[in-house]
Amino acid sequence: MLFRSLSYHAPAKHGDLIEVRTKMRLSLSPVGNVEQEAWSVPREGQKGASAKPVKLVTAKIKLVAVNNQGESIRVPEDVAAYFQALKDRG
């Protein structure tokens, strides 16, 4: 795993409800790209300024699939199918 970039936008506070949003792009190559955002999201019934989601962190990550010998390999079909099923669920 290699962090390509990590940006902090706002601090989280104790008790915040944090939501992580992930976009993953897998291909037939050994490399996959992941983009993640962490958001502080309002709890049900919150009002005022705290009722708006606040972006805390964004990250761009490069993942490489490897075998037991540490050699890069294509992402296994069952792994790709698992992530596709998660995406399809919405």
Side-chain angles (χ1 to χ4, degrees), residues 3-84:
F3 282 99
R4 294 188 331 195
S5 69
L6 183 64
S7 300
Y8 295 96
H9 306 287
K13 296 181 260 343
H14 182 73
D16 280 355
L17 181 61
I18 307 297
E19 176 180 277
V20 177
R21 302 172 187 174
T22 303
K23 293 179 185 175
M24 181 179 289
R25 288 186 297 265
L26 297 176
S27 67
L28 294 178
S29 78
V31 179
N33 292 298
V34 180
E35 295 179 16
Q36 291 187 308
E37 297 177 341
W39 290 76
S40 175
V41 295
R43 294 182 186 276
E44 192 172 318
Q46 273 185 309
K47 295 182 179 171
S50 64
K52 295 181 180 179
V54 176
K55 188 188 298 188
L56 305 173
V57 178
T58 56
K60 292 183 180 180
I61 305 163
K62 185 180 288 190
L63 299 175
V64 178
V66 296
N67 62 18
N68 291 337
Q69 290 73 42
E71 302 164 329
S72 60
I73 59 170
R74 288 186 175 175
V75 174
E77 287 185 33
D78 60 329
V79 173
Y82 173 79
F83 285 109
Q84 184 64 46

